[in-house]
Amino acid sequence: MKQDMIVILDLGSTENTTIARQIRDLGVYSEIHPHDITPLELNELQNVKGIILNGGENRVVDGIPVDVDPALYECGYPMLAISHPTAKCGKAIEELPELAVLKEFVFTDCKAQANWNMKNFIADQVERIQEQVGDKKVLLALSGGVDSSVVAAMLIKAIGQQLVCVHVNHGLMRKDESESVVQVFKNQLHANLIYVDAAERFLGKLEGIGDPEQKRKIIGGEFIRVFEEEARKLEGIDFLGQGTIYPDIIESGTKTAKMVKSHHNVGGLPEDLEFELVEPLKQLFKDEVRACGIELGLPESMVYRQPFPGPGLGVRCLGAITRERLEAVRESDAILRQEFEKAGLNKKVWQYFTVVPDFKSVGVKNNARCFDYMVIIRAINTVDAMSATIEKIDWNVLQTITERILAEVEHVNRVCYDMSPKPPATIEFE
C-alpha cells in the first residue's frame, strides 16, 4: 500500500526533524527536502498530499533570504507556512504548530491517510529495491551493527541470493567484533559472506592523520576501494547497499543547515564511485530502524545491539591514530561493556563507549611517576540520535570500571566521565 506523504521544505529551520517525527507519529509519512526542489522533482515523489514551508534562523544564506520555486505555489498542493512571512499560501503561522494544528492540516486540508507503519514501509521499499536492482547483484558492507543488519534483512527479503555481504575488518573494530560477525552471519544465518582482513591497509592510510573529517573521508573512501576490488572478483555487481539513515544525512548538512560532521556513507564517498547506491533506510530515524528490524524478523539481540560508527574506533582514538592508543580504546571499551552488562545497564543505556585523547597527563603507577593517556567514558540516552541526555551511573559501578581500566589497560593513568548532553556536544567526539 503506497503511503501518503507530507513534504517539509527546509527554509532554514532547526526544527525540521521535530515536525517530521510529529507527523509520522500521527501515522502519516513525512520527508524533509531542500527549499529549491523543483515542481518536476516534487511530482516524482510518490503520494504527496501536502507541503510544509518551514522557515527559521538559517533562512538567510549569503545575505539573501531563501525561498521556494514560485512555481510550487501553482502545483495545487495544500500548504502550511511556518515562520515564513513571504509565503504565498493561504495558511501561515509564526511558530512551531501545536499538535491540533498539524492534525487539521494533515488530515483535513491534505486529506492524508494514516497508513505510515513498518509493514507498509517494508513493502514499499522491497518493491523499490526490486525495481532498482532487477536481476543484478548488490554488494553490502555488513559490519554486524544495527543499520547494516537491517539493510541486509531488507535486501534478502527483496532480492534473496542476489545479495553478497562483505565484512571488512579495518582494524578499527571493537574487541572480538569481527569474529562475532562471522559466527552469527556466516555460521548461523548462512549469509553469502565474504571476510576481508584489511587492518594493515587502513592503519597505513591513516598514519599521521589527525583531522577528524579527513579520517572519516579516508576510511569511507578506502571502504569503497575494498568493495570495488571484491566486486571485480564477482560477476554482475552493479549496486552498493548502504546503511545510511536519516540523522546521517541531516548531520552531514543541507543547503540551509550547517554541517555537524560528514558521515562515511554520506560525505566520504568518492566522486568516481563505480556502483549505484541502494539505501532503503535513508529516511528512517534510529528508533524506526530498530522497529523495521523487528518487523523483518531479526532477533532483538541484534536489533538492539550497541550503535557503532562506520569509522569504528577510528573516531574514538582521537587525533592521529596510534596502535598503542587504539588498543587502549579497544580494551577499555570491552571492560565498559562487560561491567554495564553485569549491572544491567546494557538494556537501559542507549549507547556507551570509551575514547582516548591524543595527549597525556602526569600520574603515578607502581610507585613511580608516569606520563600516560586518559580514558573518557561516555554513556547517553536518546530516541532518535538527534539529541541525547547523560545516564547517571551508580558510583560503585563507575568505581569498578575505573579500577579495572587502570589495572588492566596499558598506558592509561586516568579515567574521566563525560557529562555533556547533545546538543551542544555530539554523541561521538569526532
Side-chain angles (χ1 to χ4, degrees), residues 278-325:
V278 180
E279 302 174 293
L281 307 182
K282 67 180 180 181
Q283 296 292 348
L284 294 186
F285 294 99
K286 194 72 176 190
D287 57 312
E288 294 171 334
V289 172
R290 297 187 195 280
C292 183
I294 294 296
E295 182 67 31
L296 285 164
L298 289 175
E300 285 196 6
S301 59
M302 183 179 296
V303 171
Y304 288 93
R305 191 175 186 175
Q306 267 287 292
F308 195 52
L313 299 182
V315 292
R316 295 177 181 173
C317 184
L318 307 185
I321 297 171
T322 66
R323 294 171 190 266
E324 185 176 85
R325 286 192 300 111

mmCIF file of all heavy atoms in Angstrom, residues 278-325:
data_model
loop_
_atom_site.group_PDB
_atom_site.id
_atom_site.type_symbol
_atom_site.label_atom_id
_atom_site.label_comp_id
_atom_site.label_asym_id
_atom_site.label_seq_id
_atom_site.Cartn_x
_atom_site.Cartn_y
_atom_site.Cartn_z
ATOM 1 N N VAL A 278 22.089 1.621 -3.106
ATOM 2 C CA VAL A 278 20.780 1.143 -2.646
ATOM 3 C C VAL A 278 20.724 1.476 -1.156
ATOM 4 O O VAL A 278 21.481 0.915 -0.361
ATOM 5 C CB VAL A 278 20.621 -0.376 -2.853
ATOM 6 C CG1 VAL A 278 19.249 -0.833 -2.354
ATOM 7 C CG2 VAL A 278 20.808 -0.741 -4.312
ATOM 8 N N GLU A 279 19.847 2.410 -0.776
ATOM 9 C CA GLU A 279 19.797 2.923 0.595
ATOM 10 C C GLU A 279 18.358 2.893 1.133
ATOM 11 O O GLU A 279 17.721 3.921 1.288
ATOM 12 C CB GLU A 279 20.335 4.349 0.654
ATOM 13 C CG GLU A 279 21.764 4.483 0.158
ATOM 14 C CD GLU A 279 22.226 5.928 0.078
ATOM 15 O OE1 GLU A 279 21.695 6.677 -0.760
ATOM 16 O OE2 GLU A 279 23.100 6.311 0.868
ATOM 17 N N PRO A 280 17.839 1.719 1.459
ATOM 18 C CA PRO A 280 16.430 1.611 1.838
ATOM 19 C C PRO A 280 16.071 2.212 3.184
ATOM 20 O O PRO A 280 14.888 2.379 3.484
ATOM 21 C CB PRO A 280 16.181 0.100 1.831
ATOM 22 C CG PRO A 280 17.524 -0.511 2.045
ATOM 23 C CD PRO A 280 18.496 0.404 1.381
ATOM 24 N N LEU A 281 17.074 2.550 4.023
ATOM 25 C CA LEU A 281 16.770 3.091 5.355
ATOM 26 C C LEU A 281 17.032 4.587 5.461
ATOM 27 O O LEU A 281 16.944 5.157 6.545
ATOM 28 C CB LEU A 281 17.618 2.373 6.426
ATOM 29 C CG LEU A 281 17.577 0.848 6.457
ATOM 30 C CD1 LEU A 281 18.428 0.338 7.605
ATOM 31 C CD2 LEU A 281 16.153 0.341 6.583
ATOM 32 N N LYS A 282 17.333 5.246 4.349
ATOM 33 C CA LYS A 282 17.842 6.614 4.420
ATOM 34 C C LYS A 282 16.824 7.640 4.908
ATOM 35 O O LYS A 282 17.200 8.783 5.198
ATOM 36 C CB LYS A 282 18.415 7.042 3.067
ATOM 37 C CG LYS A 282 17.394 7.189 1.961
ATOM 38 C CD LYS A 282 18.087 7.621 0.673
ATOM 39 C CE LYS A 282 17.093 7.770 -0.471
ATOM 40 N NZ LYS A 282 17.774 8.162 -1.721
ATOM 41 N N GLN A 283 15.544 7.270 4.998
ATOM 42 C CA GLN A 283 14.542 8.189 5.522
ATOM 43 C C GLN A 283 14.068 7.794 6.912
ATOM 44 O O GLN A 283 13.077 8.340 7.408
ATOM 45 C CB GLN A 283 13.344 8.271 4.565
ATOM 46 C CG GLN A 283 13.664 8.838 3.194
ATOM 47 C CD GLN A 283 14.034 10.311 3.223
ATOM 48 O OE1 GLN A 283 13.843 10.982 4.232
ATOM 49 N NE2 GLN A 283 14.576 10.812 2.124
ATOM 50 N N LEU A 284 14.766 6.874 7.579
ATOM 51 C CA LEU A 284 14.343 6.416 8.903
ATOM 52 C C LEU A 284 15.237 6.965 10.007
ATOM 53 O O LEU A 284 16.453 7.058 9.856
ATOM 54 C CB LEU A 284 14.371 4.890 8.983
ATOM 55 C CG LEU A 284 13.398 4.103 8.110
ATOM 56 C CD1 LEU A 284 13.492 2.615 8.453
ATOM 57 C CD2 LEU A 284 11.970 4.592 8.271
ATOM 58 N N PHE A 285 14.618 7.326 11.129
ATOM 59 C CA PHE A 285 15.363 7.652 12.334
ATOM 60 C C PHE A 285 15.770 6.351 13.016
ATOM 61 O O PHE A 285 15.262 5.269 12.706
ATOM 62 C CB PHE A 285 14.504 8.505 13.278
ATOM 63 C CG PHE A 285 14.182 9.861 12.730
ATOM 64 C CD1 PHE A 285 12.962 10.117 12.130
ATOM 65 C CD2 PHE A 285 15.111 10.898 12.802
ATOM 66 C CE1 PHE A 285 12.655 11.370 11.616
ATOM 67 C CE2 PHE A 285 14.826 12.150 12.288
ATOM 68 C CZ PHE A 285 13.602 12.394 11.693
ATOM 69 N N LYS A 286 16.698 6.448 13.979
ATOM 70 C CA LYS A 286 17.290 5.238 14.564
ATOM 71 C C LYS A 286 16.244 4.330 15.205
ATOM 72 O O LYS A 286 16.285 3.108 15.036
ATOM 73 C CB LYS A 286 18.343 5.628 15.612
ATOM 74 C CG LYS A 286 19.241 4.478 16.024
ATOM 75 C CD LYS A 286 20.218 4.133 14.899
ATOM 76 C CE LYS A 286 21.191 3.057 15.301
ATOM 77 N NZ LYS A 286 22.277 2.876 14.327
ATOM 78 N N ASP A 287 15.295 4.901 15.947
ATOM 79 C CA ASP A 287 14.284 4.065 16.586
ATOM 80 C C ASP A 287 13.404 3.375 15.546
ATOM 81 O O ASP A 287 12.930 2.254 15.752
ATOM 82 C CB ASP A 287 13.440 4.883 17.562
ATOM 83 C CG ASP A 287 12.755 6.072 16.903
ATOM 84 O OD1 ASP A 287 13.427 6.818 16.177
ATOM 85 O OD2 ASP A 287 11.545 6.264 17.114
ATOM 86 N N GLU A 288 13.191 4.043 14.402
ATOM 87 C CA GLU A 288 12.401 3.449 13.326
ATOM 88 C C GLU A 288 13.169 2.317 12.647
ATOM 89 O O GLU A 288 12.573 1.330 12.194
ATOM 90 C CB GLU A 288 12.010 4.524 12.313
ATOM 91 C CG GLU A 288 11.063 5.563 12.880
ATOM 92 C CD GLU A 288 10.844 6.750 11.967
ATOM 93 O OE1 GLU A 288 11.737 7.052 11.139
ATOM 94 O OE2 GLU A 288 9.784 7.394 12.075
ATOM 95 N N VAL A 289 14.507 2.451 12.577
ATOM 96 C CA VAL A 289 15.338 1.376 12.017
ATOM 97 C C VAL A 289 15.190 0.123 12.868
ATOM 98 O O VAL A 289 15.040 -0.992 12.346
ATOM 99 C CB VAL A 289 16.819 1.808 11.948
ATOM 100 C CG1 VAL A 289 17.707 0.629 11.549
ATOM 101 C CG2 VAL A 289 17.000 2.955 10.966
ATOM 102 N N ARG A 290 15.196 0.291 14.183
ATOM 103 C CA ARG A 290 15.039 -0.855 15.080
ATOM 104 C C ARG A 290 13.662 -1.498 14.893
ATOM 105 O O ARG A 290 13.540 -2.728 14.829
ATOM 106 C CB ARG A 290 15.220 -0.409 16.532
ATOM 107 C CG ARG A 290 16.617 0.125 16.843
ATOM 108 C CD ARG A 290 16.759 0.380 18.333
ATOM 109 N NE ARG A 290 17.918 1.199 18.649
ATOM 110 C CZ ARG A 290 19.165 0.750 18.730
ATOM 111 N NH1 ARG A 290 19.409 -0.532 18.494
ATOM 112 N NH2 ARG A 290 20.158 1.561 19.017
ATOM 113 N N ALA A 291 12.618 -0.654 14.804
ATOM 114 C CA ALA A 291 11.263 -1.175 14.589
ATOM 115 C C ALA A 291 11.179 -1.934 13.266
ATOM 116 O O ALA A 291 10.510 -2.964 13.156
ATOM 117 C CB ALA A 291 10.256 -0.029 14.617
ATOM 118 N N CYS A 292 11.878 -1.434 12.269
ATOM 119 C CA CYS A 292 11.930 -2.085 10.964
ATOM 120 C C CYS A 292 12.592 -3.455 11.086
ATOM 121 O O CYS A 292 12.131 -4.447 10.512
ATOM 122 C CB CYS A 292 12.682 -1.198 9.981
ATOM 123 S SG CYS A 292 12.767 -1.818 8.289
ATOM 124 N N GLY A 293 13.672 -3.533 11.849
ATOM 125 C CA GLY A 293 14.371 -4.792 12.051
ATOM 126 C C GLY A 293 13.499 -5.836 12.722
ATOM 127 O O GLY A 293 13.500 -7.009 12.340
ATOM 128 N N ILE A 294 12.743 -5.414 13.730
ATOM 129 C CA ILE A 294 11.837 -6.333 14.424
ATOM 130 C C ILE A 294 10.760 -6.827 13.463
ATOM 131 O O ILE A 294 10.435 -8.016 13.423
ATOM 132 C CB ILE A 294 11.186 -5.642 15.644
ATOM 133 C CG1 ILE A 294 12.246 -5.315 16.701
ATOM 134 C CG2 ILE A 294 10.077 -6.509 16.221
ATOM 135 C CD1 ILE A 294 12.914 -6.513 17.318
ATOM 136 N N GLU A 295 10.205 -5.912 12.653
ATOM 137 C CA GLU A 295 9.177 -6.287 11.683
ATOM 138 C C GLU A 295 9.725 -7.275 10.655
ATOM 139 O O GLU A 295 9.002 -8.154 10.162
ATOM 140 C CB GLU A 295 8.638 -5.036 10.984
ATOM 141 C CG GLU A 295 7.534 -5.290 9.977
ATOM 142 C CD GLU A 295 6.239 -5.777 10.612
ATOM 143 O OE1 GLU A 295 5.945 -5.398 11.769
ATOM 144 O OE2 GLU A 295 5.512 -6.546 9.947
ATOM 145 N N LEU A 296 11.016 -7.151 10.335
ATOM 146 C CA LEU A 296 11.654 -8.059 9.377
ATOM 147 C C LEU A 296 12.015 -9.399 9.998
ATOM 148 O O LEU A 296 12.486 -10.304 9.306
ATOM 149 C CB LEU A 296 12.909 -7.404 8.791
ATOM 150 C CG LEU A 296 12.673 -6.310 7.756
ATOM 151 C CD1 LEU A 296 13.936 -5.491 7.537
ATOM 152 C CD2 LEU A 296 12.196 -6.915 6.439
ATOM 153 N N GLY A 297 11.832 -9.523 11.315
ATOM 154 C CA GLY A 297 12.064 -10.798 11.973
ATOM 155 C C GLY A 297 13.452 -10.992 12.545
ATOM 156 O O GLY A 297 13.809 -12.110 12.938
ATOM 157 N N LEU A 298 14.260 -9.929 12.624
ATOM 158 C CA LEU A 298 15.587 -10.059 13.225
ATOM 159 C C LEU A 298 15.455 -10.213 14.738
ATOM 160 O O LEU A 298 14.531 -9.665 15.345
ATOM 161 C CB LEU A 298 16.433 -8.818 12.914
ATOM 162 C CG LEU A 298 16.889 -8.657 11.467
ATOM 163 C CD1 LEU A 298 17.612 -7.328 11.300
ATOM 164 C CD2 LEU A 298 17.793 -9.799 11.044
ATOM 165 N N PRO A 299 16.363 -10.934 15.371
ATOM 166 C CA PRO A 299 16.295 -11.098 16.829
ATOM 167 C C PRO A 299 16.560 -9.770 17.547
ATOM 168 O O PRO A 299 17.323 -8.932 17.059
ATOM 169 C CB PRO A 299 17.401 -12.113 17.120
ATOM 170 C CG PRO A 299 18.331 -12.024 15.961
ATOM 171 C CD PRO A 299 17.491 -11.677 14.780
ATOM 172 N N GLU A 300 15.946 -9.602 18.714
ATOM 173 C CA GLU A 300 16.109 -8.361 19.474
ATOM 174 C C GLU A 300 17.570 -8.119 19.831
ATOM 175 O O GLU A 300 18.017 -6.973 19.878
ATOM 176 C CB GLU A 300 15.254 -8.394 20.739
ATOM 177 C CG GLU A 300 13.769 -8.199 20.491
ATOM 178 C CD GLU A 300 13.015 -7.865 21.758
ATOM 179 O OE1 GLU A 300 13.663 -7.667 22.805
ATOM 180 O OE2 GLU A 300 11.773 -7.811 21.707
ATOM 181 N N SER A 301 18.310 -9.186 20.108
ATOM 182 C CA SER A 301 19.717 -9.029 20.487
ATOM 183 C C SER A 301 20.515 -8.344 19.388
ATOM 184 O O SER A 301 21.487 -7.629 19.657
ATOM 185 C CB SER A 301 20.337 -10.386 20.800
ATOM 186 O OG SER A 301 20.240 -11.249 19.670
ATOM 187 N N MET A 302 20.119 -8.537 18.142
ATOM 188 C CA MET A 302 20.800 -7.913 17.016
ATOM 189 C C MET A 302 20.283 -6.497 16.772
ATOM 190 O O MET A 302 21.058 -5.567 16.569
ATOM 191 C CB MET A 302 20.601 -8.756 15.749
ATOM 192 C CG MET A 302 21.319 -8.253 14.518
ATOM 193 S SD MET A 302 21.014 -9.343 13.109
ATOM 194 C CE MET A 302 21.786 -10.852 13.697
ATOM 195 N N VAL A 303 18.971 -6.346 16.857
ATOM 196 C CA VAL A 303 18.352 -5.047 16.580
ATOM 197 C C VAL A 303 18.723 -4.008 17.633
ATOM 198 O O VAL A 303 18.867 -2.823 17.325
ATOM 199 C CB VAL A 303 16.820 -5.203 16.490
ATOM 200 C CG1 VAL A 303 16.134 -3.853 16.416
ATOM 201 C CG2 VAL A 303 16.448 -6.037 15.263
ATOM 202 N N TYR A 304 18.887 -4.443 18.878
ATOM 203 C CA TYR A 304 19.212 -3.508 19.960
ATOM 204 C C TYR A 304 20.684 -3.562 20.347
ATOM 205 O O TYR A 304 21.058 -3.183 21.455
ATOM 206 C CB TYR A 304 18.319 -3.772 21.171
ATOM 207 C CG TYR A 304 16.898 -3.330 20.921
ATOM 208 C CD1 TYR A 304 15.949 -4.216 20.433
ATOM 209 C CD2 TYR A 304 16.525 -2.011 21.099
ATOM 210 C CE1 TYR A 304 14.657 -3.808 20.161
ATOM 211 C CE2 TYR A 304 15.236 -1.583 20.830
ATOM 212 C CZ TYR A 304 14.310 -2.490 20.367
ATOM 213 O OH TYR A 304 13.031 -2.070 20.086
ATOM 214 N N ARG A 305 21.496 -4.003 19.407
ATOM 215 C CA ARG A 305 22.936 -4.024 19.621
ATOM 216 C C ARG A 305 23.466 -2.602 19.763
ATOM 217 O O ARG A 305 22.908 -1.656 19.215
ATOM 218 C CB ARG A 305 23.603 -4.706 18.424
ATOM 219 C CG ARG A 305 25.055 -5.030 18.612
ATOM 220 C CD ARG A 305 25.557 -5.805 17.408
ATOM 221 N NE ARG A 305 26.914 -6.279 17.591
ATOM 222 C CZ ARG A 305 27.545 -7.060 16.730
ATOM 223 N NH1 ARG A 305 26.918 -7.458 15.649
ATOM 224 N NH2 ARG A 305 28.778 -7.443 16.954
ATOM 225 N N GLN A 306 24.571 -2.465 20.493
ATOM 226 C CA GLN A 306 25.178 -1.155 20.680
ATOM 227 C C GLN A 306 25.480 -0.473 19.344
ATOM 228 O O GLN A 306 26.098 -1.077 18.468
ATOM 229 C CB GLN A 306 26.495 -1.306 21.439
ATOM 230 C CG GLN A 306 26.368 -1.151 22.929
ATOM 231 C CD GLN A 306 26.147 0.283 23.318
ATOM 232 O OE1 GLN A 306 27.017 1.129 23.175
ATOM 233 N NE2 GLN A 306 24.972 0.588 23.806
ATOM 234 N N PRO A 307 25.038 0.775 19.165
ATOM 235 C CA PRO A 307 25.388 1.502 17.939
ATOM 236 C C PRO A 307 26.903 1.636 17.819
ATOM 237 O O PRO A 307 27.606 1.779 18.822
ATOM 238 C CB PRO A 307 24.731 2.875 18.143
ATOM 239 C CG PRO A 307 23.679 2.653 19.173
ATOM 240 C CD PRO A 307 24.186 1.574 20.065
ATOM 241 N N PHE A 308 27.382 1.578 16.590
ATOM 242 C CA PHE A 308 28.821 1.670 16.345
ATOM 243 C C PHE A 308 29.029 2.450 15.064
ATOM 244 O O PHE A 308 28.448 2.116 14.030
ATOM 245 C CB PHE A 308 29.412 0.262 16.214
ATOM 246 C CG PHE A 308 30.915 0.202 16.303
ATOM 247 C CD1 PHE A 308 31.591 0.795 17.355
ATOM 248 C CD2 PHE A 308 31.659 -0.455 15.332
ATOM 249 C CE1 PHE A 308 32.972 0.728 17.446
ATOM 250 C CE2 PHE A 308 33.035 -0.533 15.406
ATOM 251 C CZ PHE A 308 33.692 0.058 16.475
ATOM 252 N N PRO A 309 29.820 3.522 15.091
ATOM 253 C CA PRO A 309 30.001 4.343 13.886
ATOM 254 C C PRO A 309 30.732 3.590 12.788
ATOM 255 O O PRO A 309 31.539 2.703 13.065
ATOM 256 C CB PRO A 309 30.824 5.530 14.397
ATOM 257 C CG PRO A 309 31.556 5.008 15.590
ATOM 258 C CD PRO A 309 30.629 4.006 16.231
ATOM 259 N N GLY A 310 30.450 3.958 11.545
ATOM 260 C CA GLY A 310 31.118 3.324 10.416
ATOM 261 C C GLY A 310 32.635 3.372 10.512
ATOM 262 O O GLY A 310 33.300 2.360 10.238
ATOM 263 N N PRO A 311 33.222 4.520 10.888
ATOM 264 C CA PRO A 311 34.681 4.581 11.025
ATOM 265 C C PRO A 311 35.200 3.840 12.246
ATOM 266 O O PRO A 311 36.404 3.826 12.497
ATOM 267 C CB PRO A 311 34.959 6.088 11.152
ATOM 268 C CG PRO A 311 33.743 6.773 10.652
ATOM 269 C CD PRO A 311 32.610 5.857 10.982
ATOM 270 N N GLY A 312 34.298 3.251 13.021
ATOM 271 C CA GLY A 312 34.697 2.420 14.148
ATOM 272 C C GLY A 312 35.486 3.165 15.205
ATOM 273 O O GLY A 312 35.225 4.338 15.495
ATOM 274 N N LEU A 313 36.470 2.474 15.775
ATOM 275 C CA LEU A 313 37.287 3.079 16.823
ATOM 276 C C LEU A 313 38.179 4.189 16.279
ATOM 277 O O LEU A 313 38.832 4.888 17.053
ATOM 278 C CB LEU A 313 38.144 2.003 17.501
ATOM 279 C CG LEU A 313 37.383 0.863 18.190
ATOM 280 C CD1 LEU A 313 38.368 -0.095 18.856
ATOM 281 C CD2 LEU A 313 36.376 1.386 19.200
ATOM 282 N N GLY A 314 38.160 4.377 14.974
ATOM 283 C CA GLY A 314 38.952 5.450 14.371
ATOM 284 C C GLY A 314 38.531 6.829 14.838
ATOM 285 O O GLY A 314 39.340 7.765 14.852
ATOM 286 N N VAL A 315 37.243 6.987 15.218
ATOM 287 C CA VAL A 315 36.773 8.280 15.717
ATOM 288 C C VAL A 315 36.683 8.279 17.244
ATOM 289 O O VAL A 315 36.170 9.226 17.838
ATOM 290 C CB VAL A 315 35.408 8.666 15.104
ATOM 291 C CG1 VAL A 315 35.563 8.944 13.625
ATOM 292 C CG2 VAL A 315 34.357 7.584 15.345
ATOM 293 N N ARG A 316 37.186 7.215 17.858
ATOM 294 C CA ARG A 316 37.260 7.161 19.323
ATOM 295 C C ARG A 316 38.710 7.139 19.810
ATOM 296 O O ARG A 316 38.971 7.290 20.997
ATOM 297 C CB ARG A 316 36.488 5.943 19.840
ATOM 298 C CG ARG A 316 34.996 6.064 19.540
ATOM 299 C CD ARG A 316 34.189 4.861 19.974
ATOM 300 N NE ARG A 316 32.782 5.051 19.642
ATOM 301 C CZ ARG A 316 31.851 4.116 19.771
ATOM 302 N NH1 ARG A 316 32.191 2.916 20.224
ATOM 303 N NH2 ARG A 316 30.592 4.373 19.451
ATOM 304 N N CYS A 317 39.627 6.929 18.875
ATOM 305 C CA CYS A 317 41.058 7.134 19.121
ATOM 306 C C CYS A 317 41.339 8.530 18.580
ATOM 307 O O CYS A 317 41.643 8.705 17.395
ATOM 308 C CB CYS A 317 41.871 6.068 18.395
ATOM 309 S SG CYS A 317 43.643 6.144 18.704
ATOM 310 N N LEU A 318 41.198 9.520 19.438
ATOM 311 C CA LEU A 318 41.128 10.911 18.974
ATOM 312 C C LEU A 318 42.456 11.401 18.405
ATOM 313 O O LEU A 318 43.531 11.061 18.904
ATOM 314 C CB LEU A 318 40.688 11.820 20.131
ATOM 315 C CG LEU A 318 39.398 11.411 20.850
ATOM 316 C CD1 LEU A 318 39.017 12.461 21.895
ATOM 317 C CD2 LEU A 318 38.256 11.203 19.866
ATOM 318 N N GLY A 319 42.363 12.224 17.361
ATOM 319 C CA GLY A 319 43.562 12.713 16.700
ATOM 320 C C GLY A 319 44.189 11.637 15.830
ATOM 321 O O GLY A 319 43.524 10.706 15.385
ATOM 322 N N ALA A 320 45.485 11.778 15.580
ATOM 323 C CA ALA A 320 46.189 10.785 14.752
ATOM 324 C C ALA A 320 46.213 9.439 15.472
ATOM 325 O O ALA A 320 46.603 9.344 16.635
ATOM 326 C CB ALA A 320 47.608 11.268 14.456
ATOM 327 N N ILE A 321 45.797 8.391 14.778
ATOM 328 C CA ILE A 321 45.662 7.071 15.383
ATOM 329 C C ILE A 321 47.026 6.433 15.581
ATOM 330 O O ILE A 321 47.849 6.396 14.668
ATOM 331 C CB ILE A 321 44.792 6.170 14.499
ATOM 332 C CG1 ILE A 321 43.373 6.746 14.400
ATOM 333 C CG2 ILE A 321 44.736 4.737 15.051
ATOM 334 C CD1 ILE A 321 42.505 6.051 13.370
ATOM 335 N N THR A 322 47.260 5.929 16.797
ATOM 336 C CA THR A 322 48.444 5.108 17.066
ATOM 337 C C THR A 322 47.964 3.742 17.538
ATOM 338 O O THR A 322 46.889 3.610 18.112
ATOM 339 C CB THR A 322 49.342 5.735 18.149
ATOM 340 O OG1 THR A 322 48.628 5.734 19.409
ATOM 341 C CG2 THR A 322 49.731 7.164 17.784
ATOM 342 N N ARG A 323 48.751 2.733 17.295
ATOM 343 C CA ARG A 323 48.356 1.383 17.694
ATOM 344 C C ARG A 323 48.248 1.267 19.212
ATOM 345 O O ARG A 323 47.403 0.529 19.734
ATOM 346 C CB ARG A 323 49.362 0.370 17.150
ATOM 347 C CG ARG A 323 49.336 0.301 15.626
ATOM 348 C CD ARG A 323 50.472 -0.535 15.074
ATOM 349 N NE ARG A 323 50.552 -0.397 13.627
ATOM 350 C CZ ARG A 323 49.966 -1.214 12.760
ATOM 351 N NH1 ARG A 323 49.259 -2.236 13.201
ATOM 352 N NH2 ARG A 323 50.084 -1.018 11.461
ATOM 353 N N GLU A 324 49.106 2.006 19.920
ATOM 354 C CA GLU A 324 49.096 1.982 21.383
ATOM 355 C C GLU A 324 47.770 2.506 21.932
ATOM 356 O O GLU A 324 47.119 1.871 22.770
ATOM 357 C CB GLU A 324 50.258 2.833 21.902
ATOM 358 C CG GLU A 324 50.441 2.809 23.405
ATOM 359 C CD GLU A 324 51.673 3.598 23.807
ATOM 360 O OE1 GLU A 324 51.567 4.843 23.958
ATOM 361 O OE2 GLU A 324 52.737 2.971 23.971
ATOM 362 N N ARG A 325 47.318 3.665 21.424
ATOM 363 C CA ARG A 325 46.055 4.246 21.901
ATOM 364 C C ARG A 325 44.851 3.491 21.362
ATOM 365 O O ARG A 325 43.826 3.374 22.033
ATOM 366 C CB ARG A 325 45.969 5.733 21.529
ATOM 367 C CG ARG A 325 46.873 6.603 22.385
ATOM 368 C CD ARG A 325 46.579 8.079 22.229
ATOM 369 N NE ARG A 325 46.749 8.527 20.861
ATOM 370 C CZ ARG A 325 45.763 8.912 20.070
ATOM 371 N NH1 ARG A 325 44.523 8.918 20.510
ATOM 372 N NH2 ARG A 325 46.014 9.313 18.831
#
